[in-house]
Amino acid sequence: MSQLPQLCIHTITTKPWSLDQCLLNYEKVGVKGISIWRNALENQDLSTVNRRVKSAGLETVSLVRGGFFTGNTKEERQRAIDENKKVIEEAAQIGAPLVVLVCGATPGLSIKENLKQIQEGIEVVVPFAASHQVKLGIEPLHPMYADKRSAVSSLRVANQLALAINSRQVGVTIDVFHVWWEDDLDEQIKICAKNNKLFSYHICDWKLDMSDMLNDRGLMGDGIINVREITKSVEETGFRGYHEVEIFSNQYWKMDQNEFLNLIVTRYKQTYHLN
Ligand code: ZN
């Protein structure tokens, strides 16, 4: 079996599998990291997850996801804060050092108002996250999601937000799918790292014939993102974290998941010219 020390897979990538199937099969092909989505934790005894991950020879990289801090009413925003505290507790329980944040956007509110509410929401949960020793990664999303998923639509804005919050607990999660188009990407990656905010790194691809805004992400090599080049920029800053494969795809979820996993490994090796 080849050694792939930086390869991490998100459980959502192989959504048809249970957490135990993910653990068993990832380990078999040399995956070292796992980012766990909350849906994979349903009906699980959280107190045993940490031990199960470790005994499968894997490391938990993050819990996905928290966020969605915006709302039309105070009550809505309070519910979001309560929910984020729950996510942080779950992360602490399963030994995940990081919660990835999809920050939220409420249709009808201005981008500025959404961003203000996001900042306030994160600031409220920071002490709770700190006391649980869980970090928070602001993941900027592609602007096509600015309507209802996230008003944080570029790495530049994520960097500004993380700086404004000014807590060691809060940084940025970079996902090639969301930021590949940014003309100042290299510069923003450098700024992110210089601020000690580069917390985690997601990879996949952008298909030219994308049929669904959410569930038709490509596997590396399916589309037009130069994942290797972006990774080079990320690693030139000194980042040595995982390359996390995170793909939502109706097409790939229909495949035999073992075949899909083998394909992920093949494409991963091709992407980074590994043997
Ligand atoms: Zn991502």
Side-chain angles (χ1 to χ4, degrees):
M1 188 180 74
S2 53
Q3 291 299 312
L4 302 165
Q6 278 182 286
L7 175 56
C8 165
I9 298 183
H10 282 233
T11 57
I12 196 80
T13 303
T14 53
K15 191 168 89 167
W17 277 345
S18 68
L19 180 61
D20 285 315
Q21 286 175 303
C22 291
L23 294 174
L24 177 75
N25 294 308
Y26 291 0
E27 193 273 336
K28 266 193 216 160
V29 296
V31 175
K32 288 290 167 207
I34 183 168
S35 275
I36 300 176
W37 277 59
R38 289 184 83 198
N39 68 312
L41 292 177
E42 278 165 23
N43 308 314
Q44 298 282 328
D45 177 2
L46 295 190
S47 65
T48 67
V49 170
N50 192 9
R51 183 174 46 74
R52 279 151 61 200
V53 171
K54 279 188 183 149
S55 63
L58 294 164
E59 180 182 7
T60 305
V61 180
S62 60
L63 176 62
V64 194
R65 59 193 188 200
F68 294 98
F69 289 104
T70 66
N72 283 311
T73 63
K74 240 179 140 175
E75 290 72 27
E76 234 181 297
R77 293 170 65 193
Q78 186 56 48
R79 273 199 299 276
I81 284 163
D82 296 342
E83 187 64 21
N84 276 278
K85 287 185 174 171
K86 220 170 113 192
V87 183
I88 290 163
E89 278 173 346
E90 286 173 14
Q93 245 183 313
I94 65 165
L98 175 72
V99 167
V100 176
L101 299 179
V102 170
C103 291
T106 296
L109 297 183
S110 69
I111 293 292
K112 274 196 175 158
E113 175 60 25
N114 274 312
L115 286 172
K116 185 172 149 265
Q117 293 189 4
I118 290 166
Q119 181 172 340
E120 287 170 4
I122 296 175
E123 283 169 348
V124 169
V125 298
V126 158
F128 193 80
S131 67
H132 286 75
Q133 291 177 302
V134 171
K135 294 198 169 188
L136 305 172
I138 297 167
E139 181 173 30
L141 298 200
H142 187 278
M144 72 176 166
Y145 301 117
D147 54 352
K148 56 182 186 213
R149 287 182 191 276
S150 184
V152 182
S153 301
S154 65
L155 183 52
R156 180 179 54 80
V157 170
N159 281 340
Q160 285 168 355
L161 185 59
L163 261 196
I165 293 167
N166 191 24
S167 158
R168 280 207 323 222
Q169 226 59 36
V170 179
V172 175
T173 290
I174 295 178
D175 185 326
V176 297
F177 183 82
H178 299 298
V179 302
W180 67 272
W181 58 276
E182 296 185 47
D183 60 11
D184 60 348
L185 184 59
D186 276 354
E187 191 191 334
Q188 293 300 330
I189 288 171
K190 284 195 189 101
I191 291 170
C192 186
K194 199 170 128 261
N195 295 339
N196 294 317
K197 297 298 184 194
L198 211 172
F199 282 6
S200 67
Y201 179 55
H202 298 174
I203 59 173
C204 64
D205 211 341
W206 178 284
K207 290 167 66 175
L208 285 178
D209 58 350
M210 198 186 302
S211 63
D212 185 300
M213 277 167 71
L214 198 60
N215 293 325
D216 192 23
R217 286 201 194 182
L219 177 59
M220 297 79 74
D222 287 344
I224 47 83
I225 301 178
N226 193 333
V227 174
R228 192 156 176 258
E229 278 300 303
I230 299 176
T231 304
K232 209 173 134 205
S233 295
V234 164
E235 296 193 334
E236 271 170 5
T237 69
F239 178 86
R240 289 294 175 270
Y242 283 97
H243 308 140
E244 304 180 38
V245 178
E246 181 197 40
I247 295 167
F248 325 130
S249 165
N250 292 327
Q251 193 190 318
Y252 284 124
W253 290 330
K254 275 189 213 140
M255 256 177 92
D256 174 281
Q257 294 299 285
N258 275 303
E259 274 173 39
F260 177 39
L261 183 60
N262 288 333
L263 187 63
I264 293 172
V265 171
T266 302
R267 295 287 189 82
Y268 179 78
K269 288 179 182 170
Q270 282 168 357
T271 301
Y272 294 113
H273 302 177
L274 305 168
N275 289 316

mmCIF file of all heavy atoms in Angstrom, residues 50 83 85 169 175:
data_model
loop_
_atom_site.group_PDB
_atom_site.id
_atom_site.type_symbol
_atom_site.label_atom_id
_atom_site.label_comp_id
_atom_site.label_asym_id
_atom_site.label_seq_id
_atom_site.Cartn_x
_atom_site.Cartn_y
_atom_site.Cartn_z
ATOM 1 N N ASN A 50 -13.674 8.939 18.770
ATOM 2 C CA ASN A 50 -12.247 9.270 18.812
ATOM 3 C C ASN A 50 -11.390 7.994 18.825
ATOM 4 O O ASN A 50 -10.435 7.851 18.060
ATOM 5 C CB ASN A 50 -11.985 10.118 20.070
ATOM 6 C CG ASN A 50 -10.608 10.755 20.043
ATOM 7 O OD1 ASN A 50 -9.919 10.705 19.026
ATOM 8 N ND2 ASN A 50 -10.210 11.342 21.151
ATOM 9 N N GLU A 83 -26.800 26.322 18.264
ATOM 10 C CA GLU A 83 -26.450 25.175 17.414
ATOM 11 C C GLU A 83 -24.932 25.078 17.249
ATOM 12 O O GLU A 83 -24.360 23.992 17.301
ATOM 13 C CB GLU A 83 -27.136 25.322 16.046
ATOM 14 C CG GLU A 83 -27.006 24.132 15.116
ATOM 15 C CD GLU A 83 -27.690 22.860 15.647
ATOM 16 O OE1 GLU A 83 -28.581 22.965 16.512
ATOM 17 O OE2 GLU A 83 -27.293 21.763 15.201
ATOM 18 N N LYS A 85 -22.697 26.074 19.343
ATOM 19 C CA LYS A 85 -22.124 25.572 20.603
ATOM 20 C C LYS A 85 -22.248 24.046 20.650
ATOM 21 O O LYS A 85 -21.335 23.351 21.093
ATOM 22 C CB LYS A 85 -22.822 26.219 21.802
ATOM 23 C CG LYS A 85 -22.409 27.673 21.983
ATOM 24 C CD LYS A 85 -23.011 28.266 23.240
ATOM 25 C CE LYS A 85 -22.488 29.671 23.495
ATOM 26 N NZ LYS A 85 -23.207 30.337 24.588
ATOM 27 N N GLN A 169 -8.275 31.478 18.058
ATOM 28 C CA GLN A 169 -9.201 30.364 17.830
ATOM 29 C C GLN A 169 -9.756 30.355 16.407
ATOM 30 O O GLN A 169 -10.238 29.344 15.940
ATOM 31 C CB GLN A 169 -10.362 30.540 18.824
ATOM 32 C CG GLN A 169 -10.771 29.299 19.546
ATOM 33 C CD GLN A 169 -9.623 28.711 20.335
ATOM 34 O OE1 GLN A 169 -8.805 29.425 20.885
ATOM 35 N NE2 GLN A 169 -9.553 27.394 20.351
ATOM 36 N N ASP A 175 -10.748 26.304 0.235
ATOM 37 C CA ASP A 175 -11.247 25.222 -0.621
ATOM 38 C C ASP A 175 -11.072 25.671 -2.071
ATOM 39 O O ASP A 175 -11.606 26.718 -2.468
ATOM 40 C CB ASP A 175 -12.724 24.974 -0.292
ATOM 41 C CG ASP A 175 -13.306 23.786 -1.039
ATOM 42 O OD1 ASP A 175 -12.902 23.545 -2.199
ATOM 43 O OD2 ASP A 175 -14.190 23.111 -0.479
#
